[in-house]
């Protein structure tokens, strides 16, 4: 039986997507060729790229608003640098809410001055700073919508008056937002959309062309936009799996439908964390992420018993990141409500056993 996969990334994807993807490896579109052995310039491959790009824009509600989607390589980590390379002329503003924001800040500093408008490092990033001001003369403001490691999520985004770039790697397509508030959105596919190997970048074209430096072609958004995301050989298979997942999401009713399910899963798991005296949540309650629930045992002596219980229940990867310890239940779009219920049952079993 398939495991209940709570992995933080790469993570669970819909089973029907896996099935279609495996068929495409053997014989794609009845071509008697594999998807991974055809030219990226062939009609069938171009169609994959174009469908994936337009589905992303459609699901985010950004059609006709001047945005384009790219599927690039180098992970979200390369975007830390690319954002700054393409947008930072003098100064950029960053909100530091965790490991990934800190890494984004480090890369941006290579390109210019970085103002850290606020940080929650003082409390091991267990909350989202809420009162801060963004310098009006900054070239852009960078924010991380969901902090995968610490299990916090930004609920309200500021009105900036300057371009806003957002790392949405771990919660893109999971909740309704006014995505047109952002001028650039990026997300590594492997958290909520597909396999590793491609990164979605959604960009409003008119924010480009404002820096004076020469941008190497592979790091230049414009070079990728001009070639319809095929400046060089794109990772067609990773994009295809992402396309299938986006298609699955659309058929399900899009972001409003998945948000409802994500809320249901989060309510189950956080409900149990709060009810069960053996556990305590890590993140500040108002900032809790429905995607990544971080929690600890009140008494570490129960660790071996709990670990045995969840492994026996067919749960995969509930271990917390080393910087938080304890446990992390990642509940991305494709994780079923059923899996969330299994986790709750296991937590209740521990209480019966040792409570
Ligand atoms: C995982 C993650 C990254 C890093 O993604 P890579 O594709 O491995 O470079 C960046 N930001 C966030 C929020 C993440 O969750």
């Amino acid at each position: 039986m398939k495991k209940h996969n709570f992995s933080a990334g790469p993570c669970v994807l819909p089973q029907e997507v896996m099935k279609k993807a495996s068929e495409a490896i053997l014989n794609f579109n009845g071509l008697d060729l594999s998807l991974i052995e055809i030219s990226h310039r062939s009609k069938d491959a171009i169609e994959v790229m174009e469908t994936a790009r337009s589905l992303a824009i459609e699901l985010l509600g950004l059609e006709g608003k001047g945005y384009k989607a790219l599927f690039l390589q180098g992970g979200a980590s390369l975007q830390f640098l690319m954002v700054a390379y393409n947008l930072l002329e003098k100064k950029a503003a960053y909100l530091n809410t965790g490991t990934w924001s800190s890494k984004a800040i480090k890369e941006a500093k290579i390109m210019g001055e970085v103002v850290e408008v606020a940080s929650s490092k003082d409390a091991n990033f267990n909350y989202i700073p809420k009162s801060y001001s963004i310098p009006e003369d900054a070239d852009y403001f960078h924010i991380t919508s969901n902090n995968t490691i610490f299990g916090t999520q930004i609920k309200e985004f500021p009105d900036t008056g300057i371009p806003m770039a957002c790392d949405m790697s771990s919660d893109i397509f999971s909740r309704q937002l006014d995505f047109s508030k952002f001028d650039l959105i990026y997300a590594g596919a492997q958290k909520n959309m597909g396999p590793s190997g491609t990164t979605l970048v959604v960009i409003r074209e008119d924010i480009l062309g404002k820096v004076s430096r020469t941008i190497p072609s592979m790091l230049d958004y414009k070079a990728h936009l001009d070639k319809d995301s095929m400046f060089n050989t794109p990772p067609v298979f990773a994009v295809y799996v992402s396309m299938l997942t986006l298609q699955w999401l659309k058929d399900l009713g899009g972001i409003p439908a998945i948000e409802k399910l994500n809320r249901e899963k989060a309510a189950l798991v956080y409900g149990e964390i709060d009810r069960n005296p053996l556990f305590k949540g890590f993140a500040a309650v108002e900032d809790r992420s429905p995607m990544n629930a971080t929690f600890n045992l009140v008494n570490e002596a129960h660790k071996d018993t709990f670990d045995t219980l969840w492994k026996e229940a067919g749960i995969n990867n509930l271990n917390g990141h080393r910087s938080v310890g304890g446990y992390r239940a990642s509940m991305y779009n494709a994780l079923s409500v059923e899996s969330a219920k299994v986790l709750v049952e296991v937590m209740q079993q521990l209480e019966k056993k040792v409570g």
Side-chain angles (χ1 to χ4, degrees), residues 124 149-151 282 294-296 320-327:
N124 198 22
I149 292 174
F150 301 96
F282 171 78
T294 45
F295 58 102
N296 297 76
H321 190 273
R322 61 192 175 280
S323 48
V324 178
Y327 300 95

Side-chain angles (χ1 to χ4, degrees), residues 74-77 80 100 144 146 148 167 169-170 188 190-191:
S77 298
F80 299 159
W100 299 115
T144 310
N146 187 74
T148 327
D167 177 358
S169 291
S170 52
Q190 72 274 17
K191 304 276 167 51

Side-chain angles (χ1 to χ4, degrees), residues 177-188:
L177 284 176
D178 176 5
F179 293 97
S180 68
K181 261 192 115 148
F182 306 94
D183 300 273
L184 190 153
I185 296 167
Y186 62 91

